[in-house]
Amino acid sequence: MTDAFIYDAVRTPRGKGRKDGSLHEVTAVRLSSQVLNALKDRNGLDGHAVEDVIWGNVTQVKEQGGCLARTAVLASDLDESIPGLAINRFCASGMEAVNLAANQVKGGAGDAYIAGGVEMMGRVPMGSDGAAIAVDPSVAMETYFVPQGISADIIATEYGFTRDQADQLAMASQQRAAAAWEDKRFDKSVITVTDQNGLTILDHDEYMRPGTDMQSLGGLNPAFQQMGEVMPGFDAVAKLKYPHLEKINHIHHAGNSSGIVDGSAGVLIGNEEFGKKYGLKPRARIKQTCKIGTDPTIMLTGPVPATEKILADSGMKIGDIDLFEVNEAFASVVLRFQQAFDVDPELVNVNGGSIAMGHPLGATGAIIIGTLLDELERTDKEVGLATLCIASGMGAATIIERV
């Protein structure tokens, strides 16, 4: 098959997903178009340079509804002859867009694609699409549905993770993110978001709390204990599925869970001929991709079986991977990954993650692939693996190797 290369990767800063967040005035279409324009301008693209734009976003209603990908193309400086495809694999939507594009290139369906995603969580709130898995009783009862926060606490209970362990991981995420910004490690990929007059709206991740310590985290109340123990009593639902758990240990709170933010990211993927045409040097090869379904109640353990599958499919071992990006949806997700593979925590999310900088649902998968590539280059390492847990019980992963 044809190799699929990453030629470029960019992202916006992540703004607080609230009305007072810096990106609140920007729509998903406009933010996406700025990412598309950046990829076009940085790489000298013209005409029908790419076969398609594949764009992930999770809450596909109102201004994020319709085929947002095509609308973003029309709102950008890309040629109108380029179509657009909007996809949704929940939190892995941005990664799935990249993986789908890579596999299209590998299969010969076009020379190049732009793939990524967006989520404006401050403008289109998570859950406002009324997902059937949560609101249809006939489905929710059969699958023993519980909210993701409860799922994260189930993981902590099942695998023995403590509040202190979760808080320590959260503190490390904040410290690493602050150090990465201080060291200008994101300069290659982060673009400045501007208004229609070219004035800066946001040029840094504004969700971070660099002063976070164990004392401040220790003062936060568990976020999901009430919904688990009182009403609607999701702990009881969980124990129907896992009767061996006498009590759910509620360790997660706002400080050790991913932040609600706005953001977008895109990746330029093409074959060798595309690079030669535009005088571009490939930065990495997309070696392997995978997706998998998992238990929908515990829901967030997907990175483990996804990693097992992608390693088996690629004929690799965990020791062949130099760096890992495991999305910090909740602290227990990363703790479980580290436990399952006995990997050195110093190799996982070395520049911080979604606990520190936020998790713009449809964009995060593309963000962590770009972050992984930048860090492989910065540290002169070769192979990286990015993976995410996914709502309703799925997992996805991507292995990239520098060229």
Side-chain angles (χ1 to χ4, degrees):
M1 297 182 72
T2 302
D3 280 331
F5 298 105
I6 297 176
Y7 284 95
D8 201 6
V10 301
R11 72 169 176 92
T12 69
R14 285 167 272 196
K16 295 177 182 177
R18 304 195 301 254
K19 290 184 178 180
D20 62 350
S22 294
L23 296 181
H24 187 69
E25 66 185 84
V26 187
T27 66
V29 166
R30 292 299 172 186
L31 197 67
S32 298
S33 69
Q34 291 202 24
V35 171
L36 298 180
N37 287 342
L39 289 171
K40 174 184 182 296
D41 295 342
R42 284 162 56 119
N43 298 283
L45 306 183
D46 58 11
H48 198 106
V50 298
E51 188 74 17
D52 202 354
V53 170
I54 306 178
W55 218 239
N57 69 292
V58 174
T59 310
Q60 298 188 354
V61 294
K62 299 181 180 179
E63 63 190 55
Q64 285 188 174
C67 183
L68 190 148
R70 172 59 176 168
T71 310
V73 170
L74 295 176
S76 76
D77 297 332
L78 293 178
D79 196 276
E80 66 179 14
S81 64
I82 298 171
L85 171 64
I87 66 167
N88 181 3
R89 198 187 291 280
F90 293 130
C91 297
S93 297
M95 175 176 285
E96 184 62 28
V98 171
N99 291 353
L100 179 57
N103 290 325
Q104 292 280 82
V105 170
K106 288 182 180 182
D111 290 337
Y113 287 73
I114 292 175
V118 67
E119 207 77 35
M120 304 304 290
M121 301 179 74
R123 295 179 62 91
V124 185
M126 179 172 54
S128 56
D129 54 346
I133 187 69
V135 303
D136 185 336
S138 66
V139 178
M141 292 176 66
E142 290 180 2
T143 58
Y144 297 92
F145 170 82
V146 298
Q148 287 188 25
I150 300 294
S151 298
D153 287 337
I154 295 172
I155 294 173
T157 307
E158 178 73 7
Y159 295 101
F161 304 127
T162 66
R163 167 77 179 253
D164 278 354
Q165 286 177 293
D167 286 355
Q168 287 168 354
L169 187 144
M171 184 176 67
S173 181
Q174 295 283 357
Q175 293 172 343
R176 291 175 176 185
W181 271 103
E182 179 69 22
D183 199 32
K184 303 185 184 304
R185 297 179 193 175
F186 299 131
D187 281 6
K188 182 184 292 187
S189 300
V190 174
I191 63 172
T192 298
V193 179
T194 59
D195 64 15
Q196 60 186 4
N197 298 313
L199 300 176
T200 297
I201 295 176
L202 187 64
D203 62 4
H204 64 281
D205 291 324
E206 70 173 347
Y207 183 81
M208 297 189 302
R209 300 177 178 87
T212 298
D213 56 24
M214 290 296 287
Q215 184 176 3
S216 61
L217 291 172
L220 298 175
N221 293 323
F224 310 104
Q225 184 168 3
Q226 185 171 6
M227 70 167 64
E229 295 180 353
V230 185
M231 288 297 292
F234 285 108
D235 284 7
V237 176
K239 285 188 282 188
L240 288 173
K241 184 74 171 285
Y242 313 110
H244 62 285
L245 300 179
E246 295 183 6
K247 179 179 174 60
I248 306 300
N249 184 19
H250 293 284
I251 70 167
H252 289 93
H253 50 73
N256 58 27
S257 306
S258 56
I260 294 174
V261 295
D262 304 323
S264 182
V267 181
L268 177 61
I269 301 159
N271 58 23
E272 186 176 4
E273 290 72 21
F274 168 78
K276 289 179 179 179
K277 179 179 179 180
Y278 286 93
L280 303 174
K281 182 180 178 180
R283 296 173 61 188
R285 176 185 295 106
I286 298 180
K287 183 176 178 65
Q288 194 74 41
T289 70
C290 86
K291 58 272 185 183
I292 197 166
T294 64
D295 182 338
T297 306
I298 203 168
M299 195 185 305
L300 307 174
T301 55
V304 173
T307 297
E308 292 171 341
K309 183 177 190 301
I310 202 169
L311 291 174
D313 290 348
S314 61
M316 301 179 73
K317 299 178 180 178
I318 198 72
D320 297 327
I321 308 297
D322 297 314
L323 291 173
F324 301 87
E325 284 288 324
V326 183
N327 185 40
E328 295 174 350
F330 298 89
S332 65
V333 174
V334 182
L335 290 170
R336 172 56 187 148
F337 181 89
Q338 293 173 173
Q339 179 191 65
F341 297 104
D342 192 26
V343 296
D344 183 352
E346 296 300 314
L347 302 179
V348 181
N349 303 341
V350 299
N351 292 315
S354 292
I355 289 175
M357 293 174 284
H359 176 20
L361 306 177
T364 302
I367 289 174
I368 65 174
I369 289 173
T371 299
L372 182 62
L373 175 56
D374 284 347
E375 186 63 15
L376 286 171
E377 291 176 339
R378 188 185 74 86
T379 56
D380 195 26
K381 294 182 178 179
E382 298 299 322
V383 182
L385 182 148
T387 184
L388 303 93
C389 61
I390 309 174
S392 77
M394 294 184 282
T398 307
I399 293 176
I400 64 173
E401 58 181 1
R402 289 177 59 205
V403 178

